[in-house]
Amino acid sequence: MDNENVLFDDGTHKCVMFSLEDEAQEENSLSVNQFLLVQHESAILIDPGSSSIFSELYDAIERHIDPQKIKYIFFSHQDPDVAGGIAEWSVATSAQLVVSGLWTRFMGHFGLVDTARIVALPDHGGRIRFGEDFIQFIPAHFLHSPGNFSLYDSRSKILFSGDIGAAVLSPQNLNKRVDDFESHRPYLESFHRRYMASNLFCRAWVREVRRYDIDTIAPQHGSLFHRENVAAFLAWFEELECATEHIDEIYLA
């Protein structure tokens, strides 16, 4: 399918990216990615998106694994294009729902009734075993949400970065791969300068993710960074001046 891409598959462990749009493409819109990790007879669903794509995503997942075998559903933050379908997924699966501890008290507003299934992440993150490997929840607070996490898969060496790395209106959204960082950079700048809180948090996140061996950074929006472009993106993001550094520009515009 045009909106489906297998990012990693070694015969035991697989990562699939779906790119199902939950709104019509408009000016300044961002393409939306959803991700599925499968190992043996277990799966983790990452940032499944709004209720409007629930049925389509559920059907797409069935081509890879029985959705009833999804063990965890991870929501990097609370935005509707990440968590808008949380009630549907809670009914359709028996998965545990992994969110920042900051957002657990708001889950009722998403229509979630069974709060016993919520795994509330502490601010420092954490690690869970996934088959023969592990999943690491890496703090990404204030980038852009105050309760925000990235997820690292140790087997595929993919970092699922949420809104960090999102590109607006990039022609490379069509092939979902950044081939040249410098030509891609202009599509990153306006979004990151406005939505990321401060360079202090950018530096803290880069410091944390550099502890891991990363082959690919997979944002929730736009194209993926591979190998040398991972290093190029981290170097750029580490030096980024964003909202706090441009507060006068934002308020006086």
Side-chain angles (χ1 to χ4, degrees):
M1 293 183 63
D2 292 340
N3 57 9
E4 182 175 313
N5 187 4
V6 176
L7 303 182
F8 180 88
D9 189 353
D10 64 4
T12 299
H13 190 95
K14 179 166 63 173
C15 174
V16 186
M17 178 175 72
F18 309 96
S19 301
L20 306 179
E21 302 297 342
D22 57 3
E23 61 182 355
Q25 289 296 300
E26 300 175 354
E27 184 179 0
N28 294 327
S29 64
L30 284 73
S31 61
V32 184
N33 304 318
Q34 308 84 29
F35 302 95
L36 179 72
L37 294 175
V38 179
Q39 189 172 123
H40 300 301
E41 293 299 307
S42 185
I44 297 174
L45 179 59
I46 301 167
D47 287 349
S50 72
S51 58
S52 66
I53 65 166
F54 166 76
S55 296
E56 188 178 2
L57 182 57
Y58 189 95
D59 291 345
I61 288 170
E62 282 190 306
R63 293 191 288 272
H64 299 276
I65 195 170
D66 179 353
Q68 296 305 316
K69 294 180 179 178
I70 298 174
K71 188 174 183 180
Y72 298 101
I73 304 177
F74 168 63
F75 303 89
S76 61
H77 57 295
Q78 81 288 356
D79 280 2
D81 61 340
V82 169
I86 192 169
E88 286 86 350
W89 287 105
S90 69
V91 171
T93 73
S94 58
Q96 292 183 279
L97 311 173
V98 184
V99 301
S100 164
L102 290 182
W103 306 123
T104 56
R105 61 179 174 166
F106 297 108
M107 288 301 100
H109 294 282
F110 284 96
L112 181 63
V113 177
D114 186 7
T115 57
R117 288 166 53 192
I118 293 177
V119 177
L121 290 173
D123 278 346
H124 62 269
R127 176 178 295 190
I128 59 172
R129 299 302 305 177
F130 182 50
E132 302 155 15
D133 306 283
F134 69 86
I135 299 296
Q136 184 73 37
F137 300 100
I138 300 173
H141 306 310
F142 299 98
L143 301 171
H144 61 95
S145 168
N148 193 50
F149 288 90
S150 300
L151 184 151
Y152 174 73
D153 173 30
S154 68
R155 184 70 163 262
S156 67
K157 299 181 181 179
I158 298 174
L159 176 69
F160 302 94
S161 58
D163 280 341
I164 301 169
V168 180
L169 295 178
S170 167
Q172 297 186 79
N173 285 349
L174 298 175
N175 63 23
K176 295 296 181 179
R177 181 187 180 98
V178 175
D179 296 316
D180 176 70
F181 179 77
E182 282 306 309
S183 64
H184 185 68
R185 181 170 53 83
Y187 302 102
L188 301 170
E189 288 178 338
S190 62
F191 176 80
H192 287 78
R193 279 166 56 96
R194 182 61 177 87
Y195 280 83
M196 305 296 133
S198 169
N199 178 258
L200 290 173
F201 296 108
C202 297
R203 288 178 177 272
W205 182 81
V206 171
R207 183 185 66 238
E208 289 299 307
V209 303
R210 280 185 174 149
R211 298 170 55 195
Y212 301 92
D213 183 11
I214 299 170
D215 280 348
T216 300
I217 295 178
Q220 189 211 357
H221 303 286
S223 302
L224 280 61
F225 302 88
H226 296 284
R227 299 180 181 87
E228 67 275 7
N229 286 312
V230 168
F233 173 74
L234 293 179
W236 172 80
F237 193 67
E238 186 175 34
E239 299 301 322
L240 178 70
E241 292 186 351
C242 36
T244 301
E245 291 79 31
H246 295 278
I247 192 166
D248 288 341
E249 176 184 313
I250 294 170
Y251 274 80
L252 300 177

